[in-house]
Amino acid sequence: MRARLRALIAERALSAGTFTLASGAGTGYFFDMKQVMLDPEGLVLIAEAFLERIAVDPADHVGGIAMGAVPIVAAVCALSQATPRPRRAFFVRKETKDHGTERRIEGYLPEGGEVLLFEDVTTTGGSAMIAVEAARAVGCQVRTLYTVVDRLEGAEANLAHEGIRLAPLFTRADFTL
């Protein structure tokens, strides 16, 4: 399963070129995980890999920042129904909606509970911290951020400073750049 997922990421998501990251920094390579997450095989492989890793974690809710975490948490939520521990999901918008319910958090985020956060690609951890701060604002505990790929550009140390462990399925070192 891991080898197949790594091959899909290398084939469909990893590109060389000139790119700008969410942090504003430039880079010579980019992981466009949507090319894997929005493919049935890729998304199921990601969700199954994460479900295996979180099987013994007591948190009943999974979430993350929109857009990158939405397919992941939806798939983890859906596939968790067939496990001993079904998990409800939520996502955090980068900005509050200005229409409808005007929510920043959508789905199920329990006040004061423990939650697991997910991300597609992690660079410095800045985007993930938006979800962390939203969860903490309602009294939730966040101990772990699961990511498909860690670019190895500071996220682990930055998140550790906030008391959060980074748990990647892969790192940049797993791919030929």
Side-chain angles (χ1 to χ4, degrees):
M1 176 173 66
R2 179 176 164 78
R4 177 64 182 147
L5 179 55
R6 187 191 153 295
L8 284 175
I9 293 168
E11 173 188 317
R12 297 182 187 167
L14 181 57
S15 298
T18 303
F19 304 95
T20 302
L21 302 172
S23 66
T27 184
Y29 68 95
F30 188 73
F31 287 96
D32 182 2
M33 290 306 300
K34 285 146 194 83
Q35 300 304 312
V36 177
M37 294 186 312
L38 298 176
D39 171 82
E41 180 187 14
L43 185 57
V44 167
L45 288 171
I46 290 168
E48 287 176 344
F50 281 138
L51 280 169
E52 185 178 289
R53 287 200 171 191
I54 69 172
V56 297
D57 195 286
D60 290 323
H61 294 78
V62 296
I65 193 75
M67 162 68 210
V70 173
I72 296 169
V73 299
V76 168
C77 173
L79 294 182
S80 77
Q81 180 59 33
T83 72
R85 172 169 255 131
R87 319 270 178 148
R88 286 188 164 184
F90 68 93
F91 71 89
V92 178
R93 298 175 188 279
K94 291 184 181 177
E95 297 178 9
T96 303
K97 282 180 16 176
D98 63 357
H99 60 282
T101 60
E102 299 181 2
R103 290 185 190 148
R104 182 154 187 232
I105 299 169
E106 297 288 352
Y108 296 92
L109 180 60
E111 290 187 22
E114 186 172 338
V115 300
L116 301 174
L117 294 182
F118 292 83
E119 192 168 46
D120 57 348
V121 179
T122 308
T123 303
T124 65
S127 293
M129 283 307 299
I130 296 170
V132 169
E133 290 164 4
R136 287 179 173 169
V138 295
C140 290
Q141 295 177 14
V142 179
R143 293 193 175 102
T144 307
L145 171 70
Y146 292 90
T147 187
V148 179
V149 177
D150 175 15
R151 290 176 52 94
L152 300 175
E153 295 183 22
E156 184 174 26
N158 292 338
L159 291 166
H161 181 72
E162 295 291 328
I164 300 167
R165 178 178 70 95
L166 180 63
L169 293 177
F170 301 98
T171 70
R172 172 185 72 205
D174 292 313
F175 299 92
T176 303
L177 302 175

